[in-house]
Amino acid sequence: MARTNPLQFVQQVRAEVGKVVWPTRREVVLTTIMVFIMATLTAIFFAIVDLLIRQGLQGVLTIFG
């Protein structure tokens, strides 16, 4: 692997940073809202699954217990 001197490294880093496309404020806000909505839906889904499993286990334990 070839070694680069510090000056070349800094130049390469600046060139790569110049290629970065930063998201707009609107994109960041919309993405954040989407993440909160998906997290809420996921929490609701797992809460319902937990309730169903709990009810099922209580039913089985009532029958055999």
Side-chain angles (χ1 to χ4, degrees), residues 23 29 44 46 62:
V29 169
I44 291 169
F46 282 114
T62 301

Side-chain angles (χ1 to χ4, degrees), residues 22-32:
W22 297 102
T24 64
R25 183 178 190 85
R26 183 173 188 273
E27 290 172 335
V28 171
V29 169
L30 287 176
T31 305
T32 302

Side-chain angles (χ1 to χ4, degrees), residues 24-65:
T24 64
R25 183 178 190 85
R26 183 173 188 273
E27 290 172 335
V28 171
V29 169
L30 287 176
T31 305
T32 302
I33 291 170
M34 288 171 42
V35 167
F36 279 120
I37 290 171
M38 291 306 296
T40 303
L41 291 175
T42 303
I44 291 169
F45 171 76
F46 282 114
I48 292 170
V49 169
D50 181 56
L51 287 172
L52 292 174
I53 291 172
R54 185 183 315 153
Q55 291 296 324
L57 283 174
Q58 285 178 345
V60 169
L61 290 175
T62 301
I63 292 171
F64 296 108

